[in-house]
Amino acid sequence: MSGRTAFVTGGSRGIGRATCVALAAAGHRVAFCFGHDEEGAAATEAAVRDAGGEVLALRAAIGDAAAVDGAFAAVEERFGAVEVLVNNAGITRDGLLARMSDEAWDDVIRVNLTGAFQTIRRATPRMMRARFGRIVNVSSVGGHIGGAGQANYSAAKAGLLGLSRSVAREYATRGITCNVVAPGPIVTAMTEAQGEDWMATVATAVPVGRFGTPEECAAAIAFLCSDAAGYITGALLPVDGGLGMGH
């Protein structure tokens, strides 16, 4: 598994940062992109280096085809063809459906779903030539149980499953796998900002009774990126403490 080139979108914090570190610890060269969080990107770079990995940070607007192409070109020039792709970038524009603007819908679909389509489309030709590829798309428990005030986000995250299974079928004979990890409530700066009372209330809905950690998600992602996971494709792996079981 060592020595491959990995590219993680949305790597400046949270699950993305933890994934970069986990892949570096597995021996990969790690490139990641971020939107605006330069301070977070610098922290991810430092964490990857601490894990013993080579790292390349790129500012890129996921959802913009030209930006995606430019990011891949930079990775290829520095590290070679991308062999491991993790689509983690995501945004929210929450609001009740009746009041949701076209812009809020379009922004979330563009980044969370179209962005994954564009990175996969860009990565797979060289994966096919190498007859090896690992693609993991980070969805959400909200993609299969829904979320009030999150019609755009839930739709995009649900769409990742259909995209991933189509990719899995198209490329199964080429040594390329495509899987989905669906996190539940995870401890991040965003959730911690909601306050302890809110987090305690949400945790009561989770069968294991707590929030997960970015590192727990990253461990699942890193496994699906490994050689050992070569017979797993088109799978949905929940990392949600049992919140979405039965869906």
Side-chain angles (χ1 to χ4, degrees):
M1 180 176 168
S2 63
R4 300 197 188 278
T5 296
F7 183 41
V8 180
T9 70
S12 63
R13 58 184 175 176
I15 295 170
R17 178 183 297 167
T19 299
C20 290
V21 172
L23 293 174
H28 295 308
R29 300 173 294 275
V30 176
F32 72 92
C33 68
F34 64 99
H36 305 287
D37 187 3
E38 293 184 358
E39 183 177 346
T44 298
E45 287 182 280
V48 170
R49 291 192 181 102
D50 287 344
E54 296 181 78
V55 63
L56 174 64
L58 300 162
R59 188 166 183 169
I62 294 300
D64 180 298
V68 168
D69 184 64
F72 270 81
V75 176
E76 290 162 353
E77 181 178 359
R78 176 75 175 273
F79 291 146
V82 171
E83 300 157 289
V84 173
L85 172 63
V86 179
N87 281 305
N88 172 71
I91 62 171
T92 57
R93 297 285 187 270
D94 293 353
L96 295 176
L97 181 65
R99 300 176 182 175
M100 184 173 289
S101 67
D102 290 346
E103 183 181 16
W105 175 271
D106 292 342
D107 285 350
V108 171
I109 298 297
R110 184 180 67 254
V111 175
N112 296 16
L113 181 57
T114 304
F117 157 71
Q118 290 173 340
T119 62
I120 294 169
R121 183 177 61 183
R122 180 60 172 76
T124 46
R126 296 190 71 167
M127 288 181 175
M128 283 194 293
R129 287 198 289 272
R131 301 196 69 82
F132 179 90
R134 295 287 183 268
I135 301 168
V136 177
N137 296 317
V138 181
S139 180
S140 166
V141 66
H144 46 274
I145 68 172
Q150 289 193 314
N152 48 4
Y153 183 81
S154 295
K157 292 300 188 180
L160 284 174
L161 181 59
L163 170 64
S164 300
R165 287 182 168 162
S166 295
V167 170
R169 289 187 183 277
E170 286 189 28
Y171 294 101
T173 62
R174 306 296 185 94
I176 301 169
T177 66
C178 187
N179 294 290
V180 176
V181 167
I186 303 297
V187 176
T188 64
M190 185 181 297
T191 56
E192 289 182 322
Q194 300 296 318
E196 292 183 4
D197 290 345
W198 178 86
M199 292 183 70
T201 299
V202 173
T204 61
V206 180
V208 302
R210 65 172 178 86
F211 276 51
T213 68
E215 290 73 21
E216 288 172 317
C217 291
I221 293 167
F223 169 69
L224 290 174
C225 291
S226 71
D227 287 356
Y231 201 55
I232 302 172
T233 195
L236 170 67
L237 176 56
V239 186
D240 63 5
L243 180 60
M245 72 172 78
H247 296 273

